[in-house]
Amino acid sequence: MDTKQAYNLWASQYDTNDNKTRDLEAHALRGSLADIPFKTCLEVGCGTGKNTLWFQERADYITAIDLSEEMMAKARQKISSSRVLFKQADITKEWTFQDGLYDLVSFSLVLEHIDDLDHVFDQVSKSMHPNGHVYIGELHPFKQYAGSKARFDTENGTEVLECFNHHISDFIQSAKKYGLVVADINEYFDDNNRNGIPRILTIILKKV
């Protein structure tokens, strides 16, 4: 099952399943972007709208995209604002879904499913205003090294999604090729227990 099919299947239970990664990433996003102003936002991987709801309180306009039509359908049920435009898109292809340039481009639990980071960061840079920011929230590589992957239970067993291991330096070095430099980096832990393995990695990039 490819990534799009898997998320279409997952959509019906995504909001109700126990999911520490989903919940901690939502917390991390809000903390990471609390002091960063933005009027326009391109939300890559809006899913069921867990972060879109927060973005619409902060931004004048949001383009919210996702690979999965079923995940996006759940988001549309929650959000009817004229300031949010939902679009189905595959970011591994040429980007034609932008509505002008953005102050912020966000990725929430998306890039683990993307093999070619260079293509993505190239398109991101072309989609942003100078001095704009990029938010990346990912399952921490340390978790991936230990074998953790996005997965969910179905009546036919556990569905494990295709994931690619990206080291922290992979994000930073790929982004740098396209004029995106690190403004902040942070790690988030289950129950804020910093003696354990971090669950979520966040990186804030700035276009120079």
Side-chain angles (χ1 to χ4, degrees):
M1 187 180 297
D2 64 24
T3 300
K4 180 179 178 181
Q5 292 172 320
Y7 273 102
N8 278 338
L9 181 61
W10 199 356
S12 64
Q13 53 177 295
Y14 188 82
D15 284 341
T16 55
N17 280 0
D18 182 31
N19 189 327
K20 291 181 179 180
T21 300
R22 173 202 62 204
D23 296 343
L24 188 56
E25 191 280 325
H27 169 75
L29 178 142
R30 286 153 178 76
S32 297
L33 295 175
D35 297 325
I36 295 177
F38 53 91
K39 292 184 177 180
T40 54
C41 173
L42 174 59
E43 183 188 10
V44 181
C46 66
T48 62
K50 68 181 174 68
N51 292 327
T52 317
L53 288 164
W54 186 79
F55 283 132
Q56 74 170 347
E57 297 175 358
R58 296 283 308 275
D60 294 337
Y61 185 80
I62 302 147
T63 305
I65 70 165
D66 204 276
L67 180 64
S68 164
E69 302 96 328
E70 294 300 324
M71 296 286 279
M72 214 160 30
K74 294 292 184 181
R76 285 193 174 103
Q77 292 174 7
K78 302 173 186 174
I79 299 164
S80 58
S81 172
S82 61
R83 294 183 290 110
V84 181
L85 181 61
F86 291 101
K87 296 183 180 183
Q88 192 276 334
D90 182 350
I91 64 170
T92 66
K93 313 296 184 184
E94 197 70 19
W95 289 21
T96 59
F97 46 78
Q98 304 96 316
D99 298 297
L101 299 178
Y102 299 90
D103 301 319
L104 174 69
V105 180
S106 76
F107 295 89
S108 293
L109 306 176
V110 171
L111 296 180
E112 65 182 310
H113 303 302
I114 304 299
D115 187 20
D116 184 2
L117 294 179
D118 280 5
H119 168 74
V120 169
F121 286 128
D122 180 25
Q123 297 299 305
V124 166
S125 184
K126 293 174 180 176
S127 303
M128 296 176 62
H129 289 295
N131 298 314
H133 291 86
V134 182
Y135 164 84
I136 298 168
E138 287 292 312
L139 182 68
H140 200 288
F142 292 173
K143 283 284 190 182
Q144 291 186 316
Y145 302 157
S148 292
K149 292 184 178 182
R151 67 186 69 210
F152 63 99
D153 293 328
T154 74
E155 59 184 18
N156 297 317
T158 300
E159 184 69 36
V160 181
L161 281 72
E162 182 178 29
C163 297
F164 301 92
N165 283 10
H166 298 304
H167 311 300
I168 296 174
S169 59
D170 292 339
F171 294 112
I172 294 170
Q173 295 302 319
S174 179
K176 189 166 66 172
K177 296 176 186 177
Y178 304 99
L180 304 169
V181 299
V182 175
D184 194 20
I185 188 167
N186 212 336
E187 296 164 313
Y188 292 79
F189 299 74
D190 291 334
D191 302 317
N192 203 30
N193 177 12
R194 299 186 68 85
N195 293 317
I197 296 175
R199 177 174 294 276
I200 297 294
L201 168 73
T202 62
I203 303 173
I204 301 292
L205 305 170
K206 187 172 184 178
K207 183 176 179 180
V208 297

